[in-house]
Amino acid sequence: QVQLVESGGGLVQAGGSLRLSCAASGRTFSSYAMGWFRQAPGKEREFVASIMRSGGTTYYADSVKGRFTISRDNAKNTVYLQMVRLKPEDTAVYYCAADSRLAYVVAGKGAYWGQGTQVTVSS
């Protein structure tokens, strides 16, 4: 079992930056691929970024490429999402997900999910 807790959300002006964190507890963090998803009001949850267990390979949604960076610190059992040049359309609840299979994470079928953290970008 893995417990995930997101933090770092908040209110920021367009063009600003935030860094989200997702702290994991439970089984060995380095055994899991990790991902970030978001869900805006009235919209379906969408993939944002993912990172392999070793941290060597990352994937991003086209909408965030060049602005968001996913990283992980296996020693701290934490995955991060650095967000810069934020836009109002980035407003959503952001969730982290974990699974031993990267494909499941990318597909939104990860076995473990956090409770989410709200990001609001004002124009």
Side-chain angles (χ1 to χ4, degrees), residues 27-92:
R27 299 179 67 181
T28 307
F29 178 69
S30 60
S31 298
Y32 294 92
M34 301 295 297
W36 285 95
F37 288 75
R38 66 186 182 186
Q39 186 167 21
K43 296 187 177 181
E44 293 187 356
R45 186 176 62 194
E46 64 174 357
F47 170 80
V48 175
S50 65
I51 188 166
M52 291 184 68
R53 287 174 285 183
S54 64
T57 302
T58 57
Y59 299 96
Y60 296 92
D62 288 343
S63 59
V64 305
K65 278 181 182 177
R67 299 188 300 120
F68 290 13
T69 303
I70 187 171
S71 62
R72 66 190 295 162
D73 186 338
N74 286 345
K76 295 183 178 179
N77 284 9
T78 303
V79 63
Y80 304 97
L81 186 69
Q82 179 69 51
M83 307 184 293
V84 301
R85 299 194 302 277
L86 282 159
K87 304 175 182 180
E89 51 263 44
D90 294 319
T91 295

Side-chain angles (χ1 to χ4, degrees), residues 37 45-47 50 97 101-110 113:
F37 288 75
R45 186 176 62 194
E46 64 174 357
F47 170 80
S50 65
R101 299 154 291 189
L102 177 64
Y104 276 57
V105 171
V106 174
K109 298 179 179 179
W113 291 82

